[in-house]
């Protein structure tokens, strides 16, 4: 997480606009990025241990996040600076949405406990979880991550990157959900069908 945050936020700022390193907004984004990294299982962007069921979705997600956020940082520093560092109403609301997304994702991870994995897989002893955020939505961790990253980009006044993130992350999540729900149906059958009939 520290390496990713340094490469995505701090190195571009140091190279493109060193004065931005004194901005509270840049450091708020660094903090949000670290929060996201600390509330998920360990992972590698060079993913060589993915099971066949994952179908490359973990790699797709991590590189989508890295590239859209890096693009947003460049947009913020090259085309929107110094206004991009202002804490105006849009930035405050978007950052609040990002933090809410990070907390929703953290809640989902905590609720699944040892059953939360980086890859699409079902573990021994796993059950259908319908408590915590899973009683409200089937994929709270993906919902939270979508709000986290699009919110961060909007807060940085990087609208082009925010739109790209919104579309590309949604596409990546939908692809992963398709494989994940197929595996859940195959494993849990009627139990998962009943859960899906109750929770959207």
């Amino acid at each position: 997480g520290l390496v990713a945050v340094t490469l995505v936020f701090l190195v571009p700022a140091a190279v493109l606009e060193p004065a931005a390193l004194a901005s509270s907004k840049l450091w708020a984004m660094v903090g949000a990025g670290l929060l996201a990294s600390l509330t998920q299982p360990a992972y590698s962007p060079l993913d060589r241990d993915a099971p066949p069921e994952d179908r490359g979705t973990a790699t797709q997600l991590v590189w989508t996040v890295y590239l859209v956020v890096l693009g947003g940082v460049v947009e913020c520093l090259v085309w929107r600076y110094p206004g991009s560092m202002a804490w105006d109403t849009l930035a405050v609301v978007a950052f609040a949405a990002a933090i809410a997304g990070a907390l929703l994702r953290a809640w989902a991870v905590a609720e699944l406990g040892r059953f939360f994995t980086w890859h699409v897989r079902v573990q021994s002893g796993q059950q259908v979880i319908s408590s915590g955020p899973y009683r409200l939505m089937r994929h709270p961790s993906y919902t939270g991550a979508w709000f986290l990253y699009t919110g961060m980009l909007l807060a940085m006044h990087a609208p082009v990157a925010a739109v790209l993130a919104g579309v590309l992350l949604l596409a990546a999540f939908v692809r992963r959900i398709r494989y994940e729900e197929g595996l859940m149906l195959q494993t849990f059958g009627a139990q998962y069908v009943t859960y899906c009939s109750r929770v959207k």
Side-chain angles (χ1 to χ4, degrees), residues 154-179:
L154 284 174
M156 289 190 297
H157 293 96
V160 174
V163 169
L164 281 173
V167 172
L168 295 176
L169 283 173
L170 182 62
F173 287 136
V174 166
R175 178 174 178 260
R176 185 173 174 95
I177 285 168
R178 188 170 74 245
Y179 296 133

Side-chain angles (χ1 to χ4, degrees), residues 9-122:
F9 289 101
L10 300 180
V11 170
V15 171
L16 298 172
E17 197 61 65
L21 292 171
S23 168
S24 65
K25 184 187 276 189
L26 181 69
W27 288 101
M29 299 307 143
V30 167
L34 285 175
L35 176 63
S37 292
L38 292 172
T39 56
Q40 67 184 17
Y43 69 92
S44 169
L46 304 175
D47 198 354
R48 297 185 180 92
D49 300 320
E53 297 85 4
D54 188 77
R55 305 200 190 187
T57 61
T59 301
Q60 179 185 5
L61 280 172
V62 72
W63 283 103
T64 300
V65 168
Y66 284 175
L67 293 175
V68 295
V69 175
L70 178 60
V73 171
V74 171
E75 180 181 351
C76 161
L77 295 172
V78 173
W79 293 290
R80 315 285 181 194
Y81 192 84
S84 57
M85 292 298 146
W87 281 107
D88 56 13
T89 302
L90 171 64
V92 171
V93 170
F95 189 66
I99 295 303
L103 294 175
L104 175 60
R105 179 171 169 77
W107 185 19
V109 171
E111 195 67 28
L112 280 185
R114 70 180 183 89
F115 297 126
F116 189 93
T117 61
W118 177 246
H119 297 112
V120 173
R121 65 169 45 132
V122 173

